[in-house]
Amino acid sequence: MKNIYANTPILNSTAIQGDHGVSVWLKMEAQQPTGSFKLRGISHACITYQKKGAQGFICASGGNAGIAVAYTGKNLGIPVTIVVPETTSQRAIDAIQKEEAHVIIHGKSYQEAHTEAIGLISKEQIYIHSFDDPLLWEGHASMIDEIKAAEIIPDQIVLSVGGGGLLCGVMEGLARNQWSHIPVLAVETHGAHSLAHALNNQNHLGIDKISSIATSLGAKKVARKAFEEAQKKTVSNHIVSDREAVAACLQFSKDHQLVVEPACGAALAPVYVGHPSLKDKKNILVIVCGGVGVGIEQLEAWNKAYNQ
Ligand SMILES: *Cc1c(COP(=O)(O)O)cnc(C)c1O
């Protein structure tokens, strides 16, 4: 069967690289058919579960995971139910319904939607988690295979962290390509800094609430595996402000004519501002994780509010 996800371009960005002989490479996950990297891991997980007899998928997500599960289910001919919290935008609900999934609106938060979805699981249905499943990580790892196959050798990878599924997938991809020595900068926004909180406490703790606008990074607690991977010597972490993430999105939209969520702007921000840990790097590869939850008007409105 043909892959459900796309092999995405890897662009050498003239706009971002500045004038120091640095190459900035963009792994364009924003160009997945559903607009985010999530389709890689989710399609891999769903195909695997289908082979094991799953006849339905259910997922709690008001965002890119929900859209990816819906798109995958449609492609596999398997019915999908997505439980979204009341806070979910009409834009996201429309995107999920366009993929022919059944949408249930329930609860004030992701947590409440998640609990509802778990309660709804029927015998032939599989619950698809948005970040904490080894099958997801195995699927996400394919983006590193594509970089290796393109014969691009990064000396730094920059990515954003929500629940840490992307981080786990990239680490798995690096390992299976004998690239475990390549350093990774894991970026969160302030107010969604669950990884930083756990690392600072040297304990797999969560944060009490999400206050960042980067809602796709809004996992109160990262996956245990992500907490473990982040403690490896090659991984460092960093927090940017919402304001920096939004500014990076707007600059990126000018540079590459593409709108991404602040969740993705978080990874772009340290590259745009020249974060110290990127000094002396020659081939910086940014995972442009994408996201379809936010339009340019919203980015501009946030930017205006921050700069008042
Ligand atoms: C889900 C998501 C993230 C965070 O991924 P995790 O695997 O939860 O760390 C970042 N950006 C976008 C656009 C996402 O959809």
Side-chain angles (χ1 to χ4, degrees), residues 185-215:
L185 182 65
V187 190
E188 300 171 289
T189 50
H190 187 74
H193 54 285
S194 44
L195 176 63
H197 184 71
L199 290 172
N200 291 342
N201 286 281
Q202 295 176 302
N203 198 342
H204 186 217
L205 298 172
I207 55 178
D208 293 336
K209 68 171 184 13
I210 302 296
S211 55
S212 171
I213 54 146
T215 50

Coordinates of all heavy atoms in Angstrom, one line a residue, residues 185-215:
L185 N 18.0 20.3 19.9 CA 17.5 21.4 20.8 C 16.0 21.2 20.8 O 15.3 21.3 19.8 CB 17.9 22.8 20.3 CG 17.5 24.0 21.1 CD1 18.2 23.9 22.5 CD2 17.8 25.3 20.4
A186 N 15.4 21.0 22.0 CA 14.0 20.8 22.2 C 13.4 22.0 22.8 O 13.7 22.4 23.9 CB 13.8 19.6 23.2
V187 N 12.4 22.6 22.0 CA 11.9 24.0 22.4 C 10.5 23.9 22.8 O 9.6 23.2 22.1 CB 12.1 24.9 21.2 CG1 11.8 26.4 21.6 CG2 13.5 24.8 20.6
E188 N 10.1 24.6 23.9 CA 8.8 24.7 24.3 C 8.5 26.2 24.5 O 9.4 27.0 24.5 CB 8.6 24.1 25.7 CG 8.9 22.6 25.7 CD 8.9 22.1 27.2 OE1 9.8 22.4 27.9 OE2 7.9 21.4 27.5
T189 N 7.2 26.6 24.6 CA 6.8 27.9 24.9 C 6.6 28.0 26.5 O 6.2 27.0 27.1 CB 5.5 28.4 24.2 OG1 4.5 27.4 24.5 CG2 5.7 28.6 22.8
H190 N 6.8 29.2 27.0 CA 6.5 29.4 28.4 C 5.0 29.3 28.6 O 4.2 29.8 27.8 CB 7.0 30.8 28.8 CG 6.9 31.0 30.3 ND1 7.7 30.5 31.2 CD2 5.9 31.7 31.0 CE1 7.3 30.8 32.4 NE2 6.2 31.5 32.3
G191 N 4.6 28.5 29.6 CA 3.2 28.3 29.8 C 2.8 26.9 29.2 O 1.7 26.4 29.4
A192 N 3.7 26.3 28.4 CA 3.5 24.9 28.0 C 4.8 24.1 28.2 O 5.1 23.2 27.5 CB 3.1 24.9 26.5
H193 N 5.6 24.6 29.2 CA 7.0 24.1 29.4 C 7.0 22.9 30.3 O 7.8 22.8 31.3 CB 7.8 25.2 30.0 CG 7.3 25.8 31.2 ND1 6.2 26.7 31.2 CD2 7.6 25.7 32.5 CE1 5.9 27.1 32.5 NE2 6.8 26.5 33.3
S194 N 6.2 21.8 30.0 CA 6.2 20.7 30.9 C 7.5 19.9 30.9 O 7.9 19.3 31.9 CB 5.0 19.8 30.4 OG 5.0 19.6 29.0
L195 N 8.2 19.9 29.7 CA 9.5 19.2 29.7 C 10.5 19.9 30.6 O 11.2 19.2 31.4 CB 10.0 19.0 28.3 CG 11.4 18.4 28.1 CD1 11.4 16.9 28.6 CD2 11.9 18.5 26.7
A196 N 10.6 21.2 30.4 CA 11.6 22.0 31.2 C 11.3 21.8 32.7 O 12.2 21.6 33.5 CB 11.5 23.4 30.8
H197 N 10.0 21.8 33.1 CA 9.6 21.6 34.5 C 10.1 20.3 35.0 O 10.6 20.2 36.1 CB 8.1 21.8 34.6 CG 7.6 21.7 36.0 ND1 7.8 22.7 36.9 CD2 6.9 20.7 36.6 CE1 7.2 22.4 38.0 NE2 6.7 21.2 37.9
A198 N 9.8 19.2 34.2 CA 10.3 17.9 34.7 C 11.8 17.8 34.8 O 12.3 17.3 35.8 CB 9.7 16.8 33.7
L199 N 12.5 18.4 33.8 CA 14.0 18.3 33.8 C 14.5 19.1 35.0 O 15.4 18.6 35.7 CB 14.5 18.9 32.5 CG 14.3 18.0 31.2 CD1 14.7 18.7 30.0 CD2 15.0 16.6 31.4
N200 N 13.9 20.3 35.2 CA 14.4 21.1 36.3 C 14.2 20.4 37.7 O 15.0 20.6 38.6 CB 13.7 22.5 36.4 CG 14.1 23.3 35.2 OD1 15.1 23.1 34.6 ND2 13.3 24.4 34.9
N201 N 13.2 19.6 37.8 CA 12.9 18.9 39.0 C 13.5 17.5 39.1 O 13.4 16.8 40.0 CB 11.4 18.8 39.3 CG 10.8 20.1 39.7 OD1 10.9 20.5 40.8 ND2 10.2 20.9 38.7
Q202 N 14.2 17.2 38.0 CA 14.8 15.8 37.8 C 13.7 14.7 38.2 O 14.1 13.8 38.9 CB 16.0 15.7 38.7 CG 17.1 16.6 38.2 CD 18.4 16.5 39.0 OE1 18.3 16.8 40.2 NE2 19.5 16.2 38.5
N203 N 12.5 15.0 37.8 CA 11.4 14.1 38.2 C 10.3 14.2 37.1 O 10.1 15.3 36.6 CB 10.9 14.6 39.5 CG 10.1 13.6 40.2 OD1 9.6 12.6 39.6 ND2 9.9 13.8 41.5
H204 N 9.7 13.1 36.8 CA 8.7 13.1 35.7 C 7.4 13.8 36.2 O 6.3 13.1 36.3 CB 8.5 11.7 35.2 CG 7.5 11.6 34.0 ND1 6.7 10.6 33.9 CD2 7.4 12.4 33.0 CE1 6.0 10.8 32.7 NE2 6.4 11.9 32.2
L205 N 7.4 15.1 36.5 CA 6.3 15.8 37.0 C 5.6 16.5 35.8 O 6.2 16.8 34.8 CB 6.7 16.9 37.9 CG 7.5 16.5 39.2 CD1 8.0 17.7 39.9 CD2 6.5 15.7 40.1
G206 N 4.4 17.0 36.1 CA 3.7 17.8 35.1 C 3.5 19.3 35.6 O 3.8 19.5 36.8
I207 N 3.0 20.1 34.8 CA 2.7 21.5 35.2 C 1.2 21.6 35.5 O 0.4 20.7 35.0 CB 3.1 22.6 34.2 CG1 2.6 22.3 32.8 CG2 4.6 22.7 34.1 CD1 2.9 23.4 31.7
D208 N 0.8 22.6 36.3 CA -0.6 22.6 36.7 C -1.6 23.0 35.6 O -2.7 22.5 35.6 CB -0.8 23.6 37.9 CG -0.1 23.1 39.1 OD1 0.1 21.9 39.2 OD2 0.3 23.9 40.0
K209 N -1.2 24.0 34.8 CA -2.1 24.4 33.8 C -1.3 24.9 32.6 O -0.1 25.2 32.7 CB -3.0 25.5 34.3 CG -2.4 26.8 34.7 CD -3.5 27.8 35.0 CE -3.1 29.2 35.2 NZ -1.9 29.8 35.0
I210 N -2.0 24.9 31.5 CA -1.4 25.4 30.2 C -1.8 26.9 30.0 O -3.0 27.2 30.0 CB -1.8 24.6 29.0 CG1 -1.5 23.1 29.2 CG2 -1.3 25.2 27.7 CD1 0.0 22.8 29.2
S211 N -0.8 27.8 29.9 CA -1.2 29.2 29.7 C -0.7 29.8 28.4 O -0.9 30.9 28.1 CB -0.7 30.0 30.9 OG 0.6 29.8 31.1
S212 N 0.0 28.9 27.7 CA 0.6 29.4 26.4 C -0.5 29.4 25.3 O -1.4 28.6 25.3 CB 1.7 28.5 26.0 OG 2.1 28.8 24.6
I213 N -0.4 30.3 24.3 CA -1.3 30.2 23.2 C -0.9 29.1 22.2 O -1.7 28.7 21.3 CB -1.2 31.5 22.4 CG1 0.2 31.9 22.0 CG2 -1.9 32.7 23.1 CD1 0.4 32.5 20.7
A214 N 0.3 28.5 22.4 CA 0.7 27.4 21.5 C 0.0 26.1 22.0 O 0.6 25.2 22.6 CB 2.2 27.2 21.6
T215 N -1.3 26.0 21.8 CA -2.1 24.9 22.4 C -1.7 23.5 21.9 O -1.9 22.6 22.6 CB -3.6 25.1 22.0 OG1 -3.7 25.4 20.6 CG2 -4.2 26.3 22.8

